[in-house]
Amino acid sequence: MSKNSVITRAKKRHAYRKLCEADSKDAESWFMVGVLYGRMGRIAEAEAALRKALELQPKLAAGYLNLGQALELQGKLDEADLQYTRFVELQPNSADGHDALGRLCQLRGDMRAAIVHHQQAIQLNPARVATYLSVARAYQQLGDLEAAAENIAQALRLDVNQASAYYDLAVVRIDQGRYDEALENVRHALQLKADYVHAKAVEAYILEHQRDYQGALDCLTPLLDRYPDNPELALVYERLCHFTRDYEGA
């Protein structure tokens, strides 16, 4: 986020706060204050402003969706569930509420319920690339790798430039033991997003599995100084050092 955008949001928030002070019953202004606090990462303040907006205007559907997001970010999943459910009741034809409920189910580990909600979101809006990827991850957790791969393929049919989709497909192919395809997919992800650290770690993992230890080290070495606190990179590098007998490096 640029410094200018932060300043702009702060100015907007200040302006809406002034409106709230001028008219404490202006639900729309309280709602906008909550939205802007959320975008600035001030989640507890966002929650308070959104609750005020909903107290003043109980049928403000977007307020429930945004309040649910603020609660979810604070780990208050049961409360978030109530807010998302209320949003769906008010906006039954919006995919956003079902997507949010699906996300909560995944956070709780209920993948089957997550799939149901995400598929409802897709029925309402078939162009939601991110939702297909969410469904794919849920299927992968359930061990249905073909269904996972098909949902990722659908996401790529909608947007061929989705680096995260190629990354997810690489992970599925690894689980299927199809390492050559996994390597092809993860490298496609890196073509689209050169600084994709997780993809680099997966590329190194695949090369390690294929016993190209030096190739795997060559993937990781340039990243170690840039991301010294990344445990994924450190653990893969540590394993590779054993194969190359670099015990000090390990």
Side-chain angles (χ1 to χ4, degrees):
M1 184 187 300
S2 70
K3 182 179 179 180
N4 287 339
S5 65
V6 172
I7 293 171
T8 299
R9 286 178 183 174
K11 286 181 177 178
K12 286 182 179 178
R13 178 182 54 78
H14 180 72
Y16 282 114
R17 287 288 318 197
K18 286 292 185 183
L19 288 172
C20 292
E21 290 169 7
D23 182 1
S24 62
K25 295 184 178 180
D26 184 348
E28 290 290 342
S29 292
W30 281 109
F31 170 74
M32 287 307 303
V33 168
V35 169
L36 291 167
Y37 269 134
R39 290 176 181 172
M40 296 172 72
R42 296 167 65 172
I43 307 303
E45 291 160 295
E47 177 190 344
L50 291 164
R51 287 191 186 280
K52 181 66 175 178
L54 290 167
E55 177 186 324
L56 294 167
Q57 192 172 327
K59 291 190 177 181
L60 180 61
Y64 292 102
L65 181 64
N66 282 269
L67 178 56
Q69 291 167 346
L71 292 165
E72 180 184 342
L73 287 169
Q74 295 176 84
K76 302 174 182 178
L77 301 188
D78 289 342
E79 292 179 72
D81 194 322
L82 291 173
Q83 305 306 324
Y84 290 146
T85 300
R86 181 63 175 141
F87 173 78
V88 170
E89 289 170 353
L90 291 170
Q91 294 285 340
N93 294 322
S94 172
D96 292 337
H98 290 292
D99 227 2
L101 287 168
R103 188 171 61 247
L104 285 185
C105 289
Q106 285 183 276
L107 288 171
R108 290 165 165 160
D110 189 349
M111 298 303 157
R112 295 190 188 281
I115 289 168
V116 170
H117 283 297
H118 287 312
Q119 287 179 336
Q120 285 177 295
I122 288 169
Q123 287 175 4
L124 292 165
N125 183 355
R128 293 175 74 94
V129 173
T131 307
Y132 282 105
L133 297 181
S134 295
V135 173
R137 290 167 193 144
Y139 273 123
Q140 187 177 6
Q141 288 290 314
L142 291 171
D144 191 341
L145 301 179
E146 285 302 326
E150 176 51 38
N151 277 276
I152 296 169
Q154 180 58 34
L156 288 169
R157 283 192 282 271
L158 291 168
D159 184 358
V160 74
N161 293 315
Q162 276 283 327
S164 59
Y166 287 105
Y167 170 83
D168 286 356
L169 187 54
V171 174
V172 170
R173 295 308 186 208
I174 288 171
D175 286 347
Q176 293 175 315
R178 295 158 65 171
Y179 287 91
D180 290 342
E181 292 175 62
L183 185 59
E184 180 182 343
N185 282 296
V186 80
R187 284 178 171 168
H188 204 138
L190 288 164
Q191 286 175 3
L192 293 168
K193 186 179 177 182
D195 62 345
Y196 202 157
V197 179
H198 294 299
K200 269 293 182 185
V202 168
E203 181 185 21
Y205 172 84
I206 296 167
L207 291 170
E208 176 193 350
H209 182 84
Q210 295 177 330
R211 300 190 179 185
D212 182 359
Y213 304 124
Q214 191 57 53
L217 282 170
D218 290 343
C219 285
L220 293 186
T221 302
L223 300 175
L224 295 175
D225 290 336
R226 289 171 58 195
Y227 303 100
D229 299 324
N230 186 299
E232 189 176 8
L233 295 178
L235 288 169
V236 176
Y237 185 81
E238 182 270 334
R239 285 201 311 272
L240 290 167
C241 286
H242 282 285
F243 290 116
T244 59
R245 299 182 185 277
D246 179 9
Y247 300 117
E248 183 176 351

